[in-house]
Amino acid sequence: MTVTQPDVTVVVGAYEAMPYLIDCLRSVETQTLDAARIEVIAVDDGSTDGTGEYLEEFAARAATHVTVIHQANSGGPSSPRNVGLGKAGGRYVFFLDADDRLAPEALERMVAMADRNGTDVVLGKVEGINRVPPKAAWVETLERTDVFHSNIKFTLSAQKLFRRALLEKHSMRFDESLFTGEDALFTMEAYLRADGVSVIADHTCYYLVGRDDGKHVTKSGSYTLRFDSARALMNLIAEMVPPGVERDKLMVRPFLVTLLPQFGPKYVGDNERVRRHKFELAKPLMAAHWTPEVAVRLKVDERLRLHLVAEERPELLLDVAEFVKSKKRPDAVVEKRGRRVYLAYPHFRSGDAGLPDSLYLAEPREARGVEGYREGAAGAFARRAVRKVRRVLRARVRAGGATAAV
């Protein structure tokens, strides 16, 4: 008898997943893609709440082929995903978290999209249930794109459809030494290696579920794990993308999503020891990867805070972080007949602080909300400001100072 290769292997890593696992597996059973075209590899990661037993019950009655693997608890999602991936036989692989759900037509639509376009990764629109999902990637449906010409870099979770041949060709696996951000590393590598990426933005494919018991993995862990995640992702980008505009575009993601939150409202509540430690952890990352081209892509408060981290100015950073935490709106200073808008966050034009005006200059996307702003020449001014910063950066390097500046 000939065994037909399934279209999709759904890998479910499960740890203490009850009762969320019930709806998760039901969402697999109700897929419009034929059951014969789906296989499920479920890995019980040392659960004690009945998760393993429920997986066995599901395997016994499901119309689709289900393999259940039991292992000792690994402490993170990477090991179950890797075990499942190692057993996968489908043309594509989808990583489904045990507390989340698939929409009924998800697998059928994603497989059709990948087959129609020959793309290696498909992103299906995500909606949140008691959680806020990423939104930047779902502006429009894209039959074929890449990580440089879209916003997909802002959704690096593992819940995507991946062509298994791509993963096997490059021996891709999740980094089991990381306990947060392991999916970002895996997905970014897949984006960079993929022969095209597709985005389904006009139909919900995945429901991201917030657990009532607060046990979701992304809500736990030491701040040091965030720095480990940022470091790994920055190093991957630096290894795979040559210096230049494309690298800078991608570096925005780890700076903005992973590193910056450690220097916002959280920083205000930190004790002095933790604040010093965060600066120590950030220092090599800023020196290696913080550039004027990354900075100019950020909003004023984001750029200002990271600049103060790069310059090792914790006393000034605290003032800015407190202002951000207060959710106050900075005064807008409009000059040059409306062509320049400065947002007066703390220490703007303070002689003692000595911070350059260019840090406070709003880019058009942020300046448009300010009354009196005239779009047009501001972009040219911003480019001149970047050139000036580059000159300052080179001068500081020649003087033997720090290599990171804005």
Side-chain angles (χ1 to χ4, degrees):
M1 184 177 75
T2 302
V3 178
T4 303
Q5 181 186 28
D7 282 337
V8 187
T9 298
V10 179
V11 174
V12 182
Y15 173 68
E16 306 290 277
M18 296 297 287
Y20 302 92
L21 181 62
I22 297 172
D23 286 337
C24 173
L25 295 179
R26 185 180 295 124
S27 78
V28 177
E29 284 188 290
T30 56
Q31 287 299 296
T32 55
L33 188 67
D34 189 274
R37 297 169 63 186
I38 304 171
E39 74 166 352
V40 177
I41 309 293
V43 182
D44 170 27
D45 197 36
S47 301
T48 60
D49 68 342
T51 289
E53 292 81 358
Y54 190 80
L55 289 175
E56 294 289 355
E57 292 175 18
F58 176 75
R61 62 174 167 76
T64 190
H65 179 71
V66 181
T67 299
V68 179
I69 300 168
H70 301 276
Q71 65 178 32
N73 181 248
S74 66
S78 292
S79 174
R81 289 172 180 163
N82 286 340
V83 170
L85 180 54
K87 299 289 185 180
R91 294 191 297 126
Y92 300 100
V93 177
F94 190 93
F95 297 100
L96 172 61
D97 281 1
D99 41 15
D100 295 336
R101 307 169 201 163
L102 289 166
E105 299 177 23
L107 296 183
E108 183 178 12
R109 285 177 178 268
M110 288 189 287
V111 168
M113 176 71 93
D115 285 348
R116 182 166 66 248
N117 297 289
T119 44
D120 288 332
V121 185
V122 179
L123 287 66
K125 184 180 179 181
V126 177
E127 286 193 14
I129 300 175
N130 298 324
R131 289 186 68 184
V132 179
K135 298 177 181 179
W138 317 121
V139 176
E140 61 178 329
T141 293
L142 300 171
E143 296 284 323
R144 173 174 278 267
T145 187
D146 60 44
V147 73
F148 302 110
H149 299 92
S150 66
N151 284 327
I152 64 173
K153 64 177 175 290
F154 289 113
T155 174
L156 296 182
S157 63
Q159 293 79 41
K160 317 274 188 296
L161 189 78
F162 298 93
R163 189 179 297 274
R164 190 166 66 87
L166 172 77
L167 307 183
E168 296 305 323
K169 177 181 179 180
H170 299 286
S171 302
M172 288 182 56
R173 294 295 185 269
F174 292 89
D175 187 338
E176 296 185 25
S177 70
L178 293 175
F179 291 92
T180 185
E182 77 294 327
D183 49 352
L185 198 66
F186 181 93
T187 304
M188 179 62 82
E189 182 177 353
Y191 287 165
L192 289 169
R193 296 193 184 282
D195 179 10
V197 178
S198 297
V199 178
I200 299 174
D202 57 357
H203 186 88
T204 299
C205 292
Y206 195 85
Y207 292 101
L208 194 67
V209 179
R211 294 179 60 143
D212 296 328
D213 57 13
K215 290 184 179 179
H216 197 277
V217 67
T218 58
K219 294 182 179 179
S220 61
S222 164
Y223 67 88
T224 60
L225 300 180
R226 308 295 173 176
F227 284 90
D228 292 341
S229 175
R231 183 183 309 108
L233 187 54
M234 289 176 180
N235 288 343
L236 173 76
I237 292 169
E239 289 168 6
M240 295 191 67
V241 184
V245 172
E246 290 189 334
R247 180 192 287 186
D248 292 326
K249 286 181 182 178
L250 299 190
M251 282 294 179
V252 167
R253 200 279 180 186
F255 273 115
L256 185 61
V257 176
T258 311
L259 200 63
L260 184 66
Q262 301 306 316
F263 299 101
K266 290 181 182 178
Y267 182 81
V268 176
D270 292 335
N271 60 44
E272 282 301 315
R273 180 190 62 80
V274 171
R275 289 173 185 168
R276 287 195 301 271
H277 191 208
K278 285 185 173 181
F279 266 77
E280 291 170 6
L281 293 172
K283 184 176 181 178
L285 304 182
M286 305 305 295
H289 306 299
W290 180 242
T291 68
E293 287 78 7
V294 173
V296 80
R297 289 177 165 81
L298 303 180
K299 293 180 179 179
V300 170
D301 81 276
E302 299 162 349
R303 181 193 315 147
L304 177 59
R305 280 184 280 155
L306 288 172
H307 171 85
L308 295 173
V309 173
E311 291 292 308
E312 299 184 63
R313 304 287 298 274
E315 72 288 353
L316 301 185
L317 175 62
L318 183 58
D319 294 337
V320 178
E322 287 175 340
F323 188 93
V324 171
K325 184 178 181 180
S326 74
K327 297 184 179 180
K328 296 177 183 176
R329 292 177 63 89
D331 292 335
V333 179
V334 182
E335 298 180 350
K336 297 293 182 181
R337 297 182 180 179
R339 294 194 300 271
R340 298 182 196 174
V341 173
Y342 298 97
L343 300 182
Y345 284 93
H347 307 295
F348 176 60
R349 291 179 176 168
S350 163
D352 292 336
L355 299 175
D357 282 3
S358 58
L359 284 173
Y360 297 85
L361 179 67
E363 291 296 301
R365 65 183 179 278
E366 195 172 8
R368 290 184 190 114
V370 175
E371 185 177 354
Y373 170 64
R374 290 175 53 210
E375 190 165 353
F381 175 78
R383 289 190 292 272
R384 290 196 298 273
V386 169
R387 288 195 294 270
K388 180 179 178 181
V389 168
R390 287 197 188 106
R391 291 195 297 271
V392 172
L393 179 64
R394 288 194 293 268
R396 291 180 72 246
V397 171
R398 287 195 297 269
T403 58
V406 174

